[in-house]
Amino acid sequence: MATPADFLRGPIPGQSLTTTPGNFPWEKPPEMVLVEDVVKFYVNKLADQDVMDDLSVMFDAGMAVSPFVKTLIKTGFMNGRHTVDAGMLAAPAVHAFVKAAMSSYGIEVKDEPYNPDKDPTEKEKKRLELRIKLAMTEAAEEGKTTESDPGVALLEELKAAEPGETPEVNEEVQPTEPTPPEGGMGLMSKEV
């Protein structure tokens, strides 16, 4: 955890403007500006058999291609190899090369680290399960049982339900919305 003293050790705002320009690789002219040159550079760098063997172990363990390529491109820019825009334009070709190379190893790689359609639903299920457990624990500490408290009974039903299945709720327990009078209730519902 950061302490107040850690904030005092950081750079002072504007400190980067006091150093001599060109000290860092990204402040100098890049080695490559053409997208074709950047793609050739990365393909040649990654096509080495030792590099591919090491990458195959990493991708076989479940690493996604997209974060790997983003890191590779960002590192190349920071080292002064190419411009930011040339790296961004070369990234899809490098991504496709890595994916094709891993398929030749028989490894099915993911493009992204997670599936946005699948992930939130699983997170929600886990959150719901945790909340049910916490509520059940609190109810047990207070001495409530399924017979004495209808809320505990409902929690038991939710806990017993299969994931993705909605348990049937007793119709008598559900509150009903009051129906508005025939003429309406809002300001604009006045009759003239």
Side-chain angles (χ1 to χ4, degrees), residues 50-103:
D50 293 334
V51 172
M52 277 295 155
D53 290 341
D54 293 339
L55 288 178
S56 68
V57 171
M58 183 175 70
F59 287 118
D60 194 31
M63 175 75 177
V65 179
S66 181
F68 169 74
V69 171
K70 287 178 184 175
T71 303
L72 187 69
I73 298 294
K74 188 181 287 187
T75 304
F77 160 70
M78 290 174 51
N79 290 331
R81 301 257 188 244
H82 53 78
T83 60
V84 174
D85 55 344
M88 289 174 65
L89 293 171
V94 176
H95 183 105
F97 173 76
V98 170
K99 196 168 181 178
M102 289 303 112
S103 68

Side-chain angles (χ1 to χ4, degrees), residues 83-151:
T83 60
V84 174
D85 55 344
M88 289 174 65
L89 293 171
V94 176
H95 183 105
F97 173 76
V98 170
K99 196 168 181 178
M102 289 303 112
S103 68
S104 70
Y105 275 80
I107 300 170
E108 177 96 17
V109 292
K110 299 182 290 185
D111 288 324
E112 294 293 328
Y114 72 95
N115 183 351
D117 296 332
K118 178 182 171 191
D119 195 37
T121 56
E122 287 185 19
K123 283 183 182 177
E124 289 299 321
K125 287 178 189 175
K126 289 179 182 177
R127 284 186 194 138
L128 180 61
E129 289 173 7
L130 181 61
R131 287 180 182 151
I132 290 172
K133 285 181 184 178
L134 289 173
M136 294 291 289
T137 304
E138 285 180 20
E141 288 174 358
E142 294 174 7
K144 297 178 182 177
T145 62
T146 56
E147 291 81 28
S148 66
D149 190 353

